[in-house]
Amino acid sequence: QYQVFVCIVNKLFDFVFLRKHSINIGPSKEGIIKPIFLERLTQLGDWLSINGEAIYSSKPWTAQNDIENSNVWYTSKDDSVYAINLEWPVNNTVLLASPIDLFKNPDTTVNLLGNEGKLKWLINNDIVEIQLPDRANVKSDSAWVLKINPVK
C-alpha cells in the first residue's frame, strides 16, 4: 500500500519536473472512479494538503536531484528551495550536497512542512546534515519536504 503511494508520488514528480508522465488515475469511460483509485487520490490529496507549497506554482531548482542523495528532488518558489525526500533517512538525518551554497549563512533556516519549528543543521565535509524529528512525530506519511530559506 505504502509502496503504491510512493510510486504515485514519483509519477507526480516526473510530471512536475520532467513533464513526461501523467498520474494516470481517473474515472472509467462510464465516469466511475474505482475504490482503489479513489483511495490513492485521497492519499495524494492528503499529501498535497501538507506539502503542496513545494509543488503548486513551483519550478525545478538549479539541481533536479541531489548529487549525494538520489532520493531527494528539488523545487523552488520565491526565495525558498524545497528538498523532497522520498525515503526516511537513517538516524533521522538527511544528507544533502547540492544545496551547500544555500547554507553559507548560518542564519539559513530549514523547516519540515507540516511540522512546527526550525530544524538543526550543520555542514560536515561539504555535506549538509539536517536533523529531522522522530518519525512518529511527523505529520506527513511519505515524501517528506524540507523548506530551505537561505539568508543572503
Side-chain angles (χ1 to χ4, degrees):
Q1 192 74 319
Y2 169 76
Q3 293 297 330
V4 170
F5 179 68
V6 170
C7 182
I8 292 169
V9 170
N10 278 325
K11 282 189 173 198
L12 174 67
F13 297 149
D14 280 350
F15 179 74
V16 169
F17 298 116
L18 307 175
R19 306 279 191 234
K20 71 175 192 176
H21 289 115
S22 68
I23 297 173
N24 200 23
I25 297 177
S28 67
K29 63 183 176 180
E30 294 82 18
I32 297 169
I33 298 177
K34 294 180 180 180
I36 189 68
F37 291 155
L38 182 59
E39 179 182 344
R40 292 175 185 161
L41 287 170
T42 300
Q43 289 173 325
L44 185 57
D46 291 344
W47 185 85
L48 286 168
S49 72
I50 297 168
N51 301 296
E53 73 176 87
I55 302 297
Y56 300 124
S57 301
S58 70
K59 57 186 178 188
W61 184 57
T62 307
Q64 185 175 359
N65 290 101
D66 195 79
I67 57 176
E68 176 73 19
N69 185 343
S70 64
N71 292 313
V72 175
W73 293 76
Y74 292 102
T75 62
S76 63
K77 182 168 50 176
D78 301 323
D79 293 330
S80 298
V81 173
Y82 299 89
I84 304 165
N85 300 272
L86 299 180
E87 290 187 8
W88 190 261
V90 175
N91 299 323
N92 299 339
T93 303
V94 177
L95 304 177
L96 303 175
S98 295
I100 190 80
D101 289 342
L102 301 178
F103 290 87
K104 287 184 177 180
N105 187 317
D107 294 328
T108 292
T109 61
V110 181
N111 301 83
L112 180 64
L113 294 186
N115 287 62
E116 297 292 324
K118 297 175 185 172
L119 301 177
K120 293 180 181 178
W121 60 268
L122 61 88
I123 297 175
N124 187 8
N125 295 323
D126 291 329
I127 301 291
V128 180
E129 298 180 10
I130 302 170
Q131 187 62 45
L132 299 181
D134 185 66
R135 187 171 177 181
N137 299 323
V138 173
K139 190 170 181 181
S140 189
D141 292 330
S142 60
W144 303 269
V145 180
L146 299 173
K147 182 178 183 179
I148 303 167
N149 291 304
V151 177
K152 297 177 182 178

